C-alpha cells in the first residue's frame, strides 16, 4: 500500500482500486480563485493523475484571506494565479501532472483544455463562462460540478450530460447582476463548504462511485444556519437548447458570446453582454455605494470610479471600462462588480 494515500485507501468505497482510477483521471478546473485553489489542493493531495487549472487573473492582497494556495510573495509580485497555484501544488504532490494555464477561457480555449478531460470543475466568477462550460460539457458528454459562493452563502450541483438538468435548464437567462465577493464580501468557511461538496462529488465520480452522488442542488447560508437540499430533476427540459433532444449549444456560437472591444483612440474597453436587458441602475448603485470608490449617476448611466479605473454602466447592459486597453483586465474589473 502506498503510504501517501493509505488513509484514503482504507476508506472502503475508494480502496486500492479507486486509488488506481484516480491516478488515471484528468480534471480541468476553470478558475484559480477561492474555489479553484481549494478544489485543486484536495484533488492533488488525493492523487488525481492530471489536474489542469486555467485562470486569467493574478494574485492580489485581498485574495489571501481565502485563496489557500497563495502567499504574500505571490501578491507582492502579482504572480498569475494559475502559475502560483501550479508551483505550490507541485511541492505538495510531485506524482501528479499539474498544468497552470494563464488564459481568458472562451469556447475555443475550453475545447482545447477539455479534449481529454474526465471532469470539469467550475470555480469561475461569472455565468458567461459557466454557460460555455455547460455547453462544452453537454457536447462532449463530460460531467461537471457547479459551485458558487458569496458572503456566507454557497451552493453546488453536479451536472451529468443526458441524465440531469443542465445549467441552461436551471436558468431562464444569464443574470445581469447580483452580489459578488467585491460587493458583498465573503467568509472563508463558505468557500470551504462549497469546496467540500464539490470535491466529495468529484471523488465519487472519479473512483466510479456514481451511485453515491447526491443528485440534488445544495444551498446553504453558514451565518444564518440554513441548509437546503433541493431535487431539481423535474426541471430538465426536452427542448433545452443545450441538453435537450435537439441541442444547438447556443453559448458556443459567436453571436452568443460577451462582446469586448478596445475603443479606437481611447484607453477604454467596451463590454457588451450576450443578452440585452435593462440594467437596474438603482440596485447597482446601492451595492457600489458600500465600496471605497466614487459613484455618480444620472437617468441614463451610472459611473463607478476607483483608482485609475472608471466603469460606466448603461441601462442596456453595456459597460465602458476606462483606464485600460487590456481586455482581460477589463473583464476582471467588470465581473468583480457584476458577477
Amino acid at each position: 500500500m502506498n503510504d501517501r494515500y493509505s488513509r484514503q485507501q482504507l476508506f472502503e468505497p475508494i480502496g486500492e482500486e479507486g486509488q488506481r482510477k484516480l491516478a488515471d483521471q484528468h480534471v480541468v478546473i476553470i478558475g484559480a480563485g477561492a474555489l479553484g485553489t481549494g478544489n485543486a489542493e484536495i484533488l492533488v493531495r488525493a492523487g488525481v493523475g492530471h489536474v489542469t487549472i486555467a485562470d486569467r487573473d493574478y494574485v492580489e492582497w485581498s485574495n489571501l484571506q481565502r485563496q489557500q494556495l497563495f502567499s504574500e510573495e505571490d501578491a507582492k509580485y502579482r504572480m498569475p494565479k494559475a502559475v502560483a497555484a501550479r508551483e505550490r501544488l507541485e511541492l505538495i504532490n510531485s506524482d501528479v501532472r499539474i498544468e497552470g494555464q494563464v488564459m481568458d477561457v472562451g469556447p475555443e480555449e475550453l475545447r482545447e483544455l477539455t479534449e481529454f478531460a474526465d471532469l470539469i470543475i467550475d470555480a469561475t466568477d461569472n455565468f458567461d463562462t459557466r454557460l460555455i462550460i455547460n455547453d462544452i460539457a453537454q457536447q462532449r458528454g463530460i460531467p461537471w460540478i457547479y459551485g458558487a459562493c458569496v458572503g456566507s452563502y454557497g451552493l453546488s450541483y453536479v451536472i451529468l450530460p443526458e441524465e440531469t438538468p443542465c445549467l441552461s435548464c436551471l436558468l431562464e437567462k444569464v443574470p445581469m447582476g447580483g452580489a459578488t465577493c467585491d460587493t458583498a464580501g465573503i467568509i472563508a468557511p463558505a468557500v470551504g463548504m462549497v469546496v467540500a461538496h464539490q470535491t466529495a462529488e468529484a471523488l465519487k465520480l472519479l473512483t466510479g462511485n456514481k451511485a453515491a452522488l447526491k443528485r440534488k442542488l445544495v444551498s446553504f447560508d453558514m451565518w444564518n444556519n440554513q441548509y437546503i437540499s433541493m431535487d431539481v430533476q423535474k426541471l430538465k427540459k426536452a427542448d433545452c437548447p443545450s441538453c435537450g433532444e435537439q441541442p444547438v449549444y447556443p453559448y458556443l456560437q459567436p453571436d452568443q458570446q460577451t462582446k469586448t472591444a478596445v475603443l479606437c483612440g481611447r484607453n477604454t474597453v467596451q463590454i457588451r453582454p450576450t443578452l440585452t436587458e435593462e440594467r437596474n441602475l438603482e440596485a447597482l448603485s446601492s451595492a457600489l455605494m458600500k465600496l471605497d470608490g466614487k459613484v455618480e449617476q444620472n437617468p441614463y448611466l451610472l459611473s463607478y470610479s476607483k483608482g485609475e479605473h472608471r466603469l460606466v454602466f448603461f441601462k442596456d447592459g453595456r459597460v465602458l471600462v476606462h483606464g485600460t486597453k487590456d481586455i482581460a483586465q477589463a473583464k476582471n474589473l467588470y465581473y468583480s462588480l457584476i458577477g
Side-chain angles (χ1 to χ4, degrees), residues 157-158 164-166 169-170 215-218 229-236:
Y157 181 59
V158 179
T164 69
C166 77
C169 292
L170 302 180
R215 292 182 181 266
K216 291 185 178 181
L217 188 151
V218 174
S229 185
M230 185 185 308
D231 187 348
V232 295
Q233 187 62 35
K234 291 182 179 179
L235 297 181
K236 185 169 175 56

Side-chain angles (χ1 to χ4, degrees), residues 43-278:
L43 295 180
V44 166
R45 287 185 184 277
V48 173
H50 184 185
V51 175
T52 299
I53 310 166
D55 192 284
R56 63 171 174 253
D57 205 358
Y58 58 85
V59 182
E60 299 181 87
W61 289 95
S62 63
N63 301 150
L64 301 182
Q65 165 251 352
R66 65 198 179 281
Q67 299 182 16
Q68 64 192 57
L69 291 178
F70 305 136
S71 68
E72 292 186 355
E73 284 288 295
D74 296 325
K76 180 180 179 181
Y77 293 106
R78 297 183 176 182
M79 286 290 290
K81 289 184 177 182
V83 173
R86 185 202 71 221
E87 291 180 352
R88 173 62 177 160
L89 291 168
E90 287 175 343
L91 295 175
I92 290 172
N93 193 343
S94 59
D95 291 337
V96 175
R97 178 186 173 191
I98 301 162
E99 292 184 74
Q101 299 290 345
V102 183
M103 61 170 60
D104 185 17
V105 176
E108 292 308 313
E109 291 80 8
L110 200 55
R111 283 192 182 94
E112 182 177 345
L113 289 170
T114 61
E115 186 174 1
F116 302 106
D118 298 292
L119 175 66
I120 305 169
I121 292 184
D122 162 40
T124 66
D125 59 2
N126 67 90
F127 276 94
D128 293 338
T129 306
R130 287 185 179 116
L131 286 165
I132 294 171
I133 293 172
N134 185 68
D135 275 9
I136 285 283
Q138 297 301 321
Q139 188 180 61
R140 290 191 159 170
I142 304 171
W144 72 284
I145 304 176
Y146 167 66
C149 52
V150 67
S152 58
Y153 171 81
L155 54 85
S156 180
Y157 181 59
V158 179
I159 297 175
L160 304 173
E162 299 185 3
E163 295 185 39
T164 69
C166 77
L167 189 60
S168 290
C169 292
L170 302 180
L171 297 175
E172 291 293 329
K173 55 193 173 184
V174 181
M176 291 293 287
T180 71
C181 295
D182 283 41
T183 60
I186 188 167
I187 57 172
V191 175
M193 181 68 85
V194 175
V195 168
H197 280 286
Q198 287 185 294
T199 52
E201 299 302 284
L203 289 175
K204 294 173 190 177
L205 279 167
L206 297 171
T207 58
N209 286 282
K210 194 174 177 181
L213 290 172
K214 190 171 185 62
R215 292 182 181 266
K216 291 185 178 181
L217 188 151
V218 174
S219 171
F220 61 85
D221 186 328
M222 298 194 71
W223 202 260
N224 294 304
N225 306 307
Q226 298 171 347
Y227 187 97
I228 298 170
S229 185
M230 185 185 308
D231 187 348
V232 295
Q233 187 62 35
K234 291 182 179 179
L235 297 181
K236 185 169 175 56
K237 301 174 182 177
D239 61 350
C240 174
S242 295
C243 75
E245 295 172 357
Q246 296 182 315
V248 295
Y249 312 114
Y251 298 100
L252 303 183
Q253 308 306 318
D255 62 343
Q256 288 294 311
Q257 305 307 310
T258 296
K259 307 298 190 301
T260 57
V262 179
L263 300 189
C264 183
R266 301 172 64 185
N267 193 30
T268 299
V269 174
Q270 176 176 267
I271 298 176
R272 184 186 296 274
T274 301
L275 298 179
T276 300
E277 177 182 321
E278 185 167 323

